[in-house]
Amino acid sequence: MKKIVSVLVVLVVISSVAFAGGIDKPDASSGVAIVKQGTTFRLYYKGFESNNVKVSILDSDKKVLFSETLFNVDGFVRPYNFTNLAEGHYTIEIADRHNRHSENIDVVRDKSENLAHILKVTGEDGKYLLTVSNKKSDDITVRIFDGKNQIIYDEVQTVSTDFARIYNLKKYTGKFTFEVTDGSGNTKSISY
C-alpha cells in the first residue's frame, strides 16, 4: 500500500511540474486578417509580443512585387493598394519571429467601382457634384432617391466623354442616394 501511495505522489508531482511548465511557456502566436475594400486590401496584424514583422506581396509566379519590414511592433493596420496591378492571383505573406502566414487574394475590378463619384460642393448648402467616368459614347441613367427611397430625380443622358453636373437638392432634407447606371448595365449607388 505504501508503494502505491508513493507512486501516486510521484506521478502527481511530475504531472504538476509538467503542467506548470506548459503555463509558463505559452505558444507564441499572432493573428492576421485581411479585409478587401475595392482594390485596396487592409491588413490587420496582432502579435504575441513586439518584434519585427515583414510583409511581402507576391504575384502568381511567387515573384516579390513589394516588401517592407515594420520594426518593433506588436500590432498594426496597413492598407495595400492593388489599383495599378493587373487582375489576378496574389499572395500577402506576413512573417514575424515566431510565425509565417500567407493569405491568397484575388484582384478583380468591379466594373462599377470607377463609374461615378459624388462630392458635396464646399460652401454651398444642398449642392452636390456628380462625376461619371466614360471612355465611349454611352447612355447613362442618373436617379436620385430621398431618405424614404422615393425617386426625386430621374434622367438619361447620352455622353461621349466624362460627365459632370451639379445637382441642387436644397429643398430636400435628410439623406440622398445617387444611382448611376451605364449602357452596359453597371450600376453604382452612392449615399450621401
Side-chain angles (χ1 to χ4, degrees):
M1 183 73 175
K2 237 180 181 182
K3 277 188 178 181
I4 294 175
V5 171
S6 298
V7 170
L8 287 174
V9 168
V10 169
L11 287 174
V12 168
V13 169
I14 290 172
S15 64
S16 297
V17 170
F19 181 72
I23 291 175
D24 289 337
K25 297 179 185 174
D27 289 337
S29 64
S30 57
V32 173
I34 297 176
V35 177
K36 180 180 181 182
Q37 298 171 324
T39 54
T40 299
F41 292 83
R42 192 169 293 278
L43 169 63
Y44 294 84
Y45 169 87
K46 179 63 180 149
F48 174 70
E49 62 189 7
S50 291
N51 63 91
N52 298 342
V53 180
K54 182 176 182 181
V55 178
S56 301
I57 298 173
L58 297 89
D59 65 10
S60 58
D61 296 325
K62 300 299 179 197
K63 177 183 169 193
V64 176
L65 303 175
F66 174 81
S67 181
E68 71 175 331
T69 302
L70 300 152
F71 296 96
N72 200 29
V73 296
D74 68 348
F76 61 85
V77 178
R78 298 213 23 111
Y80 294 96
N81 190 336
F82 285 68
T83 301
N84 294 328
L85 296 178
E87 288 186 348
H89 304 289
Y90 295 89
T91 303
I92 298 178
E93 286 186 354
I94 303 94
D96 61 21
R97 184 178 338 171
H98 303 286
N99 296 307
R100 178 177 297 275
H101 180 81
S102 293
E103 190 82 31
N104 295 322
I105 58 171
D106 292 318
V107 174
V108 179
R109 304 261 188 280
D110 179 3
K111 300 300 184 224
S112 67
E113 198 170 284
N114 294 322
L115 180 62
H117 299 281
I118 189 89
L119 295 169
K120 187 169 185 346
V121 177
T122 306
E124 296 285 333
D125 288 339
K127 291 189 178 180
Y128 299 87
L129 171 65
L130 173 68
T131 59
V132 179
S133 299
N134 192 27
K135 304 297 181 228
K136 60 183 178 168
S137 183
D138 200 1
D139 286 341
I140 61 167
T141 303
V142 177
R143 288 188 183 96
I144 303 173
F145 298 87
D146 64 10
K148 297 176 186 169
N149 210 24
Q150 302 293 316
I151 294 177
I152 58 175
Y153 185 83
D154 190 359
E155 169 189 32
V156 176
Q157 280 278 356
T158 301
V159 294
S160 57
T161 60
D162 293 343
F163 170 82
R165 177 167 290 160
I166 294 177
Y167 293 90
N168 187 346
L169 303 175
K170 242 185 227 182
K171 65 182 181 177
Y172 301 101
T173 58
K175 296 194 180 266
F176 303 99
T177 300
F178 287 78
E179 181 182 273
V180 179
T181 305
D182 68 8
S184 301
N186 298 314
T187 300
K188 182 167 185 180
S189 293
I190 308 165
S191 294
Y192 211 92

